[in-house]
Amino acid sequence: MADAPAATTPWQEGGWYASAHRLASPNFGPRPAGACVDLIVLHSISLPPGQYGGDEVQRLFTNRLDWSAHPYFEQIRGIEVSAHFYVRRDGTLWQFVGCDDRAWHAGASCWRGRADCNDDSVGIELEGLEGGPFEPAQYEALAHLCPAIARRYPVRYVAGHEHIAPGRKQDPGPGFDWPRLRAALGWPAEAFPPGTR
Ligand SMILES: [Zn+2]
């Protein structure tokens, strides 16, 4: 007779989410000692902007993008960036950096009184165009992923890149439906940026 199945965790060592496609990025480092990972930062990205379905974002985050393949890529030539997660238009999930480590998604930033949000946040990129709408499948993916992150880390806040780097960044922008995310998560209003509640 088999015993009842043991409680399973969706997390693997280092903060890798079991149901994401795993593609390790070299663009990461250790978090500072004692970092309190209490923030999820949402972004939008598509390469070239507004074109969906290719593998350019995966290439960017693994330093394998052909900068000469599109005029837009010349504008970002040489940048070394990453995020923990990437949610495609159909909700498919990719992961590039284990959440125990520090991904390079936020840049100069400040939120809940603390600067350099890369130190103590999890970064999620949504495939999309800054300011444009996002797909139901992407909200569904967030509705599973954010609580999973919050079970492993002491998450208390969700914010957009535009909120943690105001004036410098505009993603994900006004096309992102914050009330929809809040309803899906059921987290308190205080978890979300002022103006999105
Ligand atoms: Zn961003």
Side-chain angles (χ1 to χ4, degrees), residues 42-44 105 125 161 169 171:
L42 300 182
H43 305 256
S44 63
H105 58 96
E125 295 273 1
H161 204 183
K169 292 292 180 180
D171 63 308

Side-chain angles (χ1 to χ4, degrees), residues 106-123:
S109 52
C110 185
W111 197 243
R112 65 326 187 204
R114 308 210 299 272
D116 202 348
C117 295
N118 281 337
D119 283 349
D120 40 25
S121 70
V122 172

Side-chain angles (χ1 to χ4, degrees), residues 10 25 44 54 63 66 74 130 139 149 157 177 183 186:
S25 171
S44 63
N63 301 342
D66 177 3
E74 295 288 355
E130 193 174 281
Y139 291 98
I149 295 169
Y157 306 99
D177 190 342

Side-chain angles (χ1 to χ4, degrees), residues 23-113:
L23 180 62
S25 171
N27 304 330
F28 73 98
R31 295 188 186 276
C36 176
V37 181
D38 59 358
L39 172 66
I40 292 172
V41 179
L42 300 182
H43 305 256
S44 63
I45 190 171
S46 49
L47 294 173
Q51 292 189 26
Y52 305 145
D55 66 353
E56 288 84 355
V57 172
Q58 291 95 317
R59 289 184 169 278
L60 176 68
F61 289 165
T62 51
N63 301 342
R64 293 181 299 118
L65 185 64
D66 177 3
W67 308 111
S68 63
H70 189 278
Y72 177 77
F73 301 163
E74 295 288 355
Q75 300 177 31
I76 58 172
R77 176 182 280 274
I79 63 167
E80 294 183 344
V81 291
S82 63
H84 294 95
F85 293 102
Y86 174 45
V87 183
R88 305 223 63 164
R89 302 295 288 182
D90 67 358
T92 305
L93 194 59
W94 289 74
Q95 185 172 4
F96 303 90
V97 175
C99 295
D100 288 2
D101 281 318
R102 181 183 184 278
W104 301 349
H105 58 96
S109 52
C110 185
W111 197 243
R112 65 326 187 204

